[in-house]
Amino acid sequence: MRSLFRYQAQVLEWAKDRDRIALFLEMRLGKTLVTLRWLQHKQPQSTLVVAPKAVIPVWLDEAEQEGIPCVAKQGGLSQPEMGLQVISYQSYRINQSMQDFSWDCVILDESTHIKNPLASVTKKLIAATDAPYRAILSGNAAPESLLDYFCQVRWLRGHFFFFFSYWHFRSGYFKVGYSGFIWLPKAGTKSKIATELADFSYILTRKKAGIDNRKIKRKVSLDMSSGLREVYRSAEKDFEILGHQTKWRCVIHTWMARLVGGCHPFYRDSYKIDKLVNLLEGPLSECGPIVIWFAYRSELDTVGARIENRWYTSRVWGKQSVKDRRLQLDNWNLSENGVLLAQVHSVKFGMDFSHADTSIYFSNPWSAEARTQSEDRIVHPRKDKPLLYIDLITRDSLDEDVLKALRNKKKRDIRGLITLNFRNRLKCT
């Protein structure tokens, strides 16, 4: 049996007397291990863990170290068994056998996957689960709005403030914001939710646990080449790139984001990659292993092709098999100055990149949760070094709008904030 950190022992002691728990422990505090010990105390005959695909290997590894047999289930034809099983949210959504089985215990890891009341997996989990033992695990259960709590708590307890409908809960405790499409908490709502959560959840930050890895954040500003600037201006003002047009704002925003990275199929430019290479060769040459984050796969592949002959590189992205992803990570962990290229939305959960102390964001996700999760991949409880985060930001571009929205302390409606920043910037030019 592995020894627990003191804060983990305190969480476990709190959880032992409860059949339904919410562990809102910040990333890297060991939620999985604590939950396995809670299961050993409760001893359910059948347990299902529903988790993001990237987190499944974590459960398998942790269970193996605890001496608990654990089976990973895939696809829609897998059959339920007794004991501990883990399945992805996507597989659960299409697996009727898993939904129909009468589980003694169900655990939702990274439970923000069911924050959307309209999502199919949310509806199916709420409708199917009648397990006496339940747990939700998340480092940040409400990344963008207090409304994110509702579906998670509704699944865990059967209600939230005795509301069974997300829409009734929203109208009772929230009001429409100034923009007309975001919902803000009414007076007193925040304190009421905090009081309610205290009854069944354990909330712990790394700072309170005595783990305070200092984060140093730097922005490196870049200028587009003259040719790219002309193409970008056309996209920004006319919704057109070299004869290709769209009338949809969401489409042009994606086009612009990929243009800024220099990897749009309509127009390519290496200015940003050149700057990245200069950093790797110069100021960051003595920083040891580095993680470089990308919003788009095309950027990851282009940068990989450019630098793979100079540095040892590993790549982790969405459609990789679990086996290949683990092999890439194992090889990178053995390198002294390796560069790990990672796609943000594909590996934001469960992955341990703490071999590195430096993260570079070639491009940013349009999600506060994804950004926060990715930052914490290089955090580790036993680290005492400061962690360096570098954003490569192109001046007077969508890059600035996205980063400004992500750094907004309230972090409500990120896409709305990006659009607002975009419009304000255009008015100033």
Side-chain angles (χ1 to χ4, degrees):
M1 296 286 285
R2 291 171 290 170
S3 60
L4 300 177
F5 288 104
R6 183 175 63 178
Y7 65 82
Q8 288 178 313
Q10 292 171 345
V11 177
L12 179 59
E13 194 61 32
W14 170 88
K16 282 181 177 179
D17 296 331
R18 293 168 168 82
D19 293 340
R20 300 187 182 188
I21 59 172
L23 299 185
F24 297 146
L25 278 60
E26 272 193 337
M27 282 71 77
R28 318 303 297 158
L29 292 181
K31 296 185 291 293
T32 307
L33 177 56
V34 172
T35 306
L36 286 171
R37 296 287 175 87
W38 175 72
L39 283 176
Q40 289 175 315
H41 178 74
K42 296 297 181 182
Q43 296 186 337
Q45 295 298 306
S46 59
T47 299
L48 179 67
V49 177
V50 188
K53 181 181 177 181
V55 181
I56 291 177
V58 177
W59 278 93
L60 296 176
D61 291 343
E62 292 280 352
E64 182 180 7
Q65 292 184 65
E66 290 295 295
I68 302 174
C70 182
V71 179
K73 299 292 186 178
Q74 296 181 356
L77 300 178
S78 300
Q79 295 298 311
E81 305 172 19
M82 303 305 285
L84 177 60
Q85 294 144 84
V86 58
I87 192 171
S88 71
Y89 282 94
Q90 295 89 337
S91 293
Y92 179 89
R93 180 176 57 82
I94 60 175
N95 193 311
Q96 193 63 46
S97 296
M98 290 293 183
Q99 296 170 28
D100 292 341
F101 191 75
S102 182
W103 299 97
D104 292 333
C105 178
V106 178
I107 298 166
L108 303 187
D109 197 0
E110 303 299 349
S111 54
T112 52
H113 274 67
I114 65 163
K115 67 182 182 182
N116 181 1
L118 298 177
S120 174
V121 69
T122 303
K123 295 177 182 178
K124 291 185 176 182
L125 276 165
I126 290 176
T129 303
D130 59 359
Y133 301 119
R134 305 182 198 182
I136 56 176
L137 316 178
S138 178
N140 183 6
E144 295 178 9
S145 168
L146 291 175
L147 275 169
D148 293 345
Y149 280 119
F150 180 82
C151 291
Q152 299 170 72
V153 176
R154 167 72 174 84
W155 175 86
L156 181 70
R157 308 189 76 197
H159 63 88
F160 196 10
F161 290 124
F162 296 99
F163 282 96
F164 303 95
S165 164
Y166 171 91
W167 317 109
H168 291 163
F169 173 76
R170 188 179 70 174
S171 63
Y173 285 94
F174 291 77
K175 60 184 178 181
V176 179
Y178 67 92
S179 63
F181 56 87
I182 62 173
W183 288 77
L184 304 177
K186 295 178 180 178
T189 294
K190 186 174 182 180
S191 60
K192 288 179 181 177
I193 289 178
T195 301
E196 182 75 3
L197 290 175
D199 184 47
F200 59 88
S201 64
Y202 200 106
I203 301 172
L204 184 64
T205 64
R206 287 191 299 273
K207 188 173 183 179
K208 288 183 179 179
I211 302 165
D212 192 14
N213 295 127
R214 187 162 66 96
K215 293 185 177 182
I216 301 172
K217 296 187 178 182
R218 295 289 183 264
K219 181 174 75 172
V220 176
S221 297
L222 300 80
D223 289 310
M224 296 184 202
S225 63
S226 57
L228 178 58
R229 173 60 69 184
E230 183 178 348
V231 174
Y232 183 85
R233 287 299 187 201
S234 175
E236 193 172 54
K237 295 184 177 180
D238 303 323
F239 285 24
E240 179 180 357
I241 299 179
L242 301 176
H244 300 271
Q245 291 183 321
T246 179
K247 62 180 180 179
W248 302 106
R249 185 173 297 278
C250 59
V251 174
I252 200 64
H253 278 178
T254 301
W255 285 4
M256 289 160 57
R258 297 181 69 184
L259 273 176
V260 170
C263 300
H264 196 288
F266 298 163
Y267 191 93
R268 295 181 178 273
D269 193 297
S270 65
Y271 81 105
K272 202 169 194 178
I273 300 175
D274 293 341
K275 182 63 177 180
L276 174 63
V277 171
N278 291 339
L279 287 173
L280 294 175
E281 291 178 337
L284 302 181
S285 59
E286 303 298 326
C287 283
I290 293 173
V291 181
I292 305 177
W293 293 96
F294 303 88
Y296 301 101
R297 171 76 189 282
S298 60
E299 297 173 339
L300 186 154
D301 289 339
T302 304
V303 171
R306 174 74 178 272
I307 71 173
E308 62 185 358
N309 293 327
R310 305 190 193 186
W311 295 273
Y312 175 80
T313 60
S314 294
R315 308 183 190 188
V316 287
W317 47 278
K319 293 187 178 180
Q320 268 178 323
S321 67
V322 172
K323 181 178 178 181
D324 187 33
R325 184 176 294 179
R326 294 177 76 175
L327 179 62
Q328 291 282 325
L329 283 177
D330 288 344
N331 291 336
W332 176 69
N333 282 321
L334 294 173
S335 67
E336 294 184 2
N337 293 288
V339 177
L340 179 65
L341 310 179
Q343 190 177 8
V344 179
H345 282 288
S346 301
V347 294
K348 63 183 179 181
F349 295 118
M351 309 301 289
D352 182 2
F353 299 162
S354 59
H355 183 49
D357 298 320
T358 302
S359 279
I360 301 174
Y361 285 84
F362 187 86
S363 54
N364 267 301
W366 288 29
S367 163
E369 179 187 23
R371 172 65 191 233
T372 302
Q373 290 272 6
S374 64
E375 284 186 8
D376 286 334
R377 293 308 101 205
I378 65 172
V379 172
H380 195 278
R382 292 188 173 91
K383 274 189 178 181
D384 55 8
K385 295 180 180 179
L387 307 176
L388 176 62
Y389 300 86
I390 299 174
D391 284 280
L392 300 182
I393 301 299
T394 302
R395 293 186 181 92
D396 194 22
S397 77
L398 197 65
D399 267 359
E400 293 183 336
D401 306 331
V402 174
L403 184 62
K404 185 177 179 181
L406 291 172
R407 289 186 175 179
N408 185 291
K409 292 183 178 180
K410 295 182 179 179
K411 289 186 173 62
R412 296 192 185 105
D413 184 34
I414 289 295
R415 289 185 175 272
L417 285 172
I418 292 171
T419 301
L420 182 63
N421 295 337
F422 173 75
R423 290 173 176 171
N424 290 340
R425 181 170 52 79
L426 288 187
K427 289 178 183 178
C428 297
T429 58

